[in-house]
Amino acid sequence: MRHFIRKGSSESAVLRHLLATMHQGITVMDPQLRLVLVNETACRLLDLPQELIESTPDLEEVLRFVAQRGEYGPGDPEEHVRQRLALALSREMFDFERRRPDGTVLRVQGTPMADGGFVTIYTDVTEARRRNDAVAEARDILEERLEERTAELRRGRDLLVSTINAVNDGLVVVSDNGRIMLTNDTFDRLFPSETPWKDANADIVEVMQRLGPAGLAEALEGLEDDPEIPCEFAFGDSWFRVSRRATGNNGTLIYRFADITTYKIQHRTLQQHTDKLVKMLRNEQHINEMQREFVSMASHEFRTPLAIIDSNAQRLRRLLDRYVELVPEPMPDTDALVKRLTNIRESVDRMQYLINRFLNFTKHQSGTLEIQRKATPLRQMIEEICRRQQGLCATHRIDIDVDRLPESASIDSRLIEQCVGNILSNAIKYSPGRSEVRVRGFTEGRFAVLRFEDDGLGIPADEIPKIFNRYYRASTSSGIPGTGIGLHMTDMVVSEHRGRLTVTSEVGSGTVVEIRLPRTPARAGTVTEKEAVR
């Protein structure tokens, strides 16, 4: 078909419009390799100045300009010019791609004209090549993953077969129509048959009636009636239990044949000890009940002396206040006396609080200790506990560094106070002959961390898991007074705060106790795993 151009139309204007709207660059050369047409897109793609095209229409000069700019890569620019002139003079069609220094990829297509001229079209294929590379890369990744998945499935299949054959129980896989599909080596060894079980080509119950041991078919029929209850049968001097389980919705079943001969023997032996164990259990329960009653009674008995201490402290404070009012110049240590009386009353208050909480916990035996959270100035509280403990201790210096602790936390302040006091007291008590206990506080993730370090006796590694048990005391604590309930209570309190208590220790080198408390309360229903070196 010939091109149609209406007579009388302005061919030059039409051509100019077409060249301006094309997304491809076009250059046209006459037989003498002079540029007779270069559209704006070609200038932009090749980065050719307009004045160069207008002043130097010769192709050789344009090629030299581009070569000297480094467009054709390393090497002699004149050699690059000669190669490209030779290609143009050959008047042969060509189609290749060239990557420019700025990363742009151009497709260059040359077509000779009948009059000896040449038309070259430049297309920006950068994005297309990027997509092709991405597709190729994705294909390679998919092929690699497919190969890995195939190998994984093959390994899984081999592992499954090996696992089935390694099982100590006999296994039989049965199809939805009751036909035996597979038996493992254990089943074949327990119930040998001249004909392979899977070649019997019949219902499993029929096969067992014909080829299996006596009693097995009846056991399988029992499973048909109630598949949830395993059935037992005797075979020679051995006893077996057979059960079945569906593998999915396709009707395939797995029958399991377990040798329970040892279990039967042990069951008879265990049955003989049942009464003895029950008697021992009742005795243990009675002892525990007596222990709870004793603890409850002892806790109640604490209240009277505490009340007396508190009452006398109040009386001494009133007498001191009256003395200060009557005497114009009070004693120099009046402020110290007031502070000590205040500390006595605060200590009594804490003891009464703990006794009430402990009695409530013992009474209900709920297995948990209820905590009462409130916003507490954590850093200030720890510093005050350490100062108070330092005032009671003349043998050790408490080195405190808690500047990195959060200012406040939502905790049961009295219970945490007791825990910190217990740990500090232990650090001092179990490091005789040493002079320092270190208290460090900092933030780590969502936890406020309190670390207590001493250089004392230490705890044997095999005893660390036991020190959280009630009334347990490490062997290195021999000769040092203690009850064995401090760490137990601390562990319980920290756990109820959804925190973590860890202990690391080495005999003769000291102990590190670390309390981790969530900076904000855990949401209802969440459970944080308690991490303790046990």
Side-chain angles (χ1 to χ4, degrees):
M1 176 178 177
R2 298 173 63 85
H3 295 290
F4 171 74
I5 301 176
R6 185 182 299 278
K7 292 181 178 180
S9 63
S10 175
E11 296 181 3
S12 176
V14 171
L15 178 60
R16 187 178 297 106
H17 178 71
L18 288 175
L19 292 175
T21 56
M22 289 188 66
H23 297 295
Q24 294 172 302
I26 297 179
T27 62
V28 180
M29 294 180 295
D30 62 12
Q32 288 75 38
L33 297 183
R34 291 177 300 183
L35 292 171
V36 297
L37 186 149
V38 179
N39 71 342
E40 182 180 350
T41 304
C43 290
R44 178 174 53 80
L45 292 177
L46 297 174
D47 197 15
L48 297 176
Q50 185 68 29
E51 57 271 16
L52 174 69
I53 301 300
E54 294 176 355
S55 62
T56 311
D58 187 65
L59 175 63
E60 181 177 355
E61 293 303 320
V62 174
L63 291 175
R64 182 169 288 107
F65 172 81
V66 175
Q68 290 175 348
R69 198 169 55 184
E71 291 273 347
Y72 302 134
D76 183 11
E78 292 300 324
E79 180 62 27
H80 288 306
V81 172
R82 283 193 294 273
Q83 291 176 358
R84 280 158 178 74
L85 279 176
L87 178 63
L89 290 171
S90 68
R91 298 297 194 280
E92 294 181 358
M93 185 180 297
F94 57 81
D95 187 345
F96 62 88
E97 292 183 1
R98 177 165 67 87
R99 182 178 295 274
R100 298 189 66 240
D102 62 359
T104 305
V105 180
L106 298 180
R107 181 181 180 184
V108 185
Q109 298 170 284
T111 305
M113 296 191 298
D115 63 354
F118 214 84
V119 177
T120 306
I121 298 176
Y122 300 89
T123 307
D124 187 347
V125 295
T126 306
E127 184 62 24
R129 292 299 165 262
R130 188 191 65 77
R131 289 196 295 267
N132 289 343
D133 293 342
V135 170
E137 183 180 358
R139 184 183 63 248
D140 293 341
I141 293 175
L142 288 175
E143 289 178 353
E144 182 179 351
R145 290 181 178 175
L146 179 60
E147 291 177 358
E148 292 176 355
R149 182 59 177 162
T150 302
E152 182 180 347
L153 291 174
R154 188 177 295 111
R155 289 193 298 269
R157 181 200 61 192
D158 296 341
L159 178 61
L160 178 61
V161 172
S162 300
T163 302
I164 289 176
N165 286 328
V167 172
N168 291 328
D169 298 333
L171 297 179
V172 179
V173 181
V174 178
S175 65
D176 57 348
N177 58 5
R179 310 290 180 180
I180 296 177
M181 300 168 57
L182 174 68
T183 61
N184 71 342
D185 293 345
T186 304
F187 182 84
D188 295 338
R189 184 177 68 255
L190 292 174
F191 310 111
S193 172
E194 295 180 0
T195 305
W197 294 105
K198 63 181 180 180
D199 294 340
N201 195 29
D203 183 270
I204 183 172
V205 176
E206 297 177 5
V207 173
M208 294 307 173
Q209 286 176 337
R210 179 161 41 93
L211 303 175
L216 178 53
E218 289 78 2
L220 295 177
E221 289 176 347
L223 283 177
E224 296 289 340
D225 297 334
D226 192 350
E228 299 297 326
I229 302 178
C231 297
E232 299 177 358
F233 67 95
F235 180 48
D237 296 330
S238 301
W239 276 89
F240 293 90
R241 175 179 293 155
V242 56
S243 58
R244 78 176 189 183
R245 182 184 295 270
T247 61
N249 298 324
N250 59 357
T252 304
L253 301 173
I254 295 181
Y255 287 82
R256 177 185 175 188
F257 297 81
D259 187 342
I260 59 171
T261 306
T262 303
Y263 164 76
K264 285 284 188 180
I265 297 173
Q266 291 177 345
H267 180 70
R268 287 194 296 268
T269 303
L270 290 174
Q271 189 66 38
Q272 297 172 0
H273 295 286
T274 300
D275 293 339
K276 184 178 180 180
L277 290 175
V278 169
K279 184 177 179 180
M280 293 174 65
L281 178 60
R282 288 175 179 172
N283 187 46
E284 181 70 19
Q285 290 173 341
H286 178 65
I287 293 173
N288 286 338
E289 184 63 30
M290 291 177 60
Q291 186 182 70
R292 282 196 297 270
E293 290 177 359
F294 172 77
V295 171
S296 178
M297 179 184 66
S299 299
H300 277 290
E301 290 300 321
F302 277 133
R303 291 180 172 179
T304 299
L306 286 174
I308 294 172
I309 293 172
D310 187 48
S311 174
N312 281 280
Q314 293 183 57
R315 184 176 181 184
L316 287 173
R317 177 61 188 272
R318 287 194 297 269
L319 290 173
L320 184 60
D321 291 341
R322 187 180 305 169
Y323 172 80
V324 171
E325 292 175 0
L326 296 176
V327 180
E329 295 183 2
M331 294 182 296
D333 55 350
T334 300
D335 292 340
L337 290 174
V338 171
K339 186 175 181 180
R340 292 194 179 191
L341 288 172
T342 302
N343 287 340
I344 290 173
R345 295 208 62 203
E346 289 178 352
S347 299
V348 168
D349 186 54
R350 283 195 300 272
M351 285 296 296
Q352 289 176 336
Y353 175 81
L354 291 172
I355 289 171
N356 290 333
R357 299 295 296 281
F358 186 74
L359 286 176
N360 184 61
F361 167 67
T362 305
K363 179 179 177 181
H364 291 89
Q365 286 295 295
S366 60
T368 59
L369 182 63
E370 182 181 356
I371 63 173
Q372 299 172 359
R373 294 180 183 271
K374 65 177 181 180
T376 303
L378 180 62
R379 187 189 305 168
Q380 179 183 340
M381 184 188 79
I382 299 302
E383 290 174 342
E384 178 60 30
I385 296 171
C386 292
R387 282 195 294 268
R388 190 166 56 238
Q389 191 72 38
Q390 184 69 81
L392 299 174
C393 176
T395 59
H396 292 69
R397 184 178 71 89
I398 301 177
D399 181 23
I400 311 170
D401 181 6
V402 293
D403 291 342
R404 292 179 293 158
L405 267 182
E407 287 286 348
S408 64
S410 179
I411 58 174
D412 189 319
S413 58
R414 293 186 175 181
L415 289 179
I416 294 299
E417 243 185 272
Q418 183 66 22
C419 294
V420 173
N422 284 340
I423 295 174
L424 266 177
S425 176
N426 284 347
I428 294 170
K429 182 166 58 174
Y430 294 113
S431 56
R434 305 295 179 180
S435 60
E436 184 180 79
V437 170
R438 295 171 294 282
V439 179
R440 301 290 181 260
F442 53 92
T443 301
E444 190 172 282
R446 65 185 187 88
F447 290 100
V449 183
L450 291 170
R451 181 176 296 160
F452 305 87
E453 303 173 358
D454 67 65
D455 304 314
L457 302 173
I459 305 169
D462 59 337
E463 296 184 21
I464 290 179
K466 305 174 187 177
I467 61 176
F468 299 96
N469 298 337
R470 189 184 302 177
Y471 308 124
Y472 183 85
R473 302 193 68 209
S475 59
T476 50
S477 65
S478 178
I480 300 175
T483 60
I485 64 174
L487 270 183
H488 171 73
M489 180 180 177
T490 301
D491 184 38
M492 184 167 54
V493 170
V494 172
S495 296
E496 289 304 317
H497 277 80
R498 298 293 187 263
R500 303 172 185 173
L501 175 65
T502 59
V503 175
T504 56
S505 185
E506 184 177 348
V507 174
S509 298
T511 301
V512 177
V513 180
E514 191 172 273
I515 294 178
R516 289 174 172 261
L517 297 172
R519 290 186 290 169
T520 55
R523 291 175 295 178
T526 62
V527 176
T528 304
E529 180 184 357
K530 179 180 63 182
E531 294 183 356
V533 182
R534 299 190 171 185

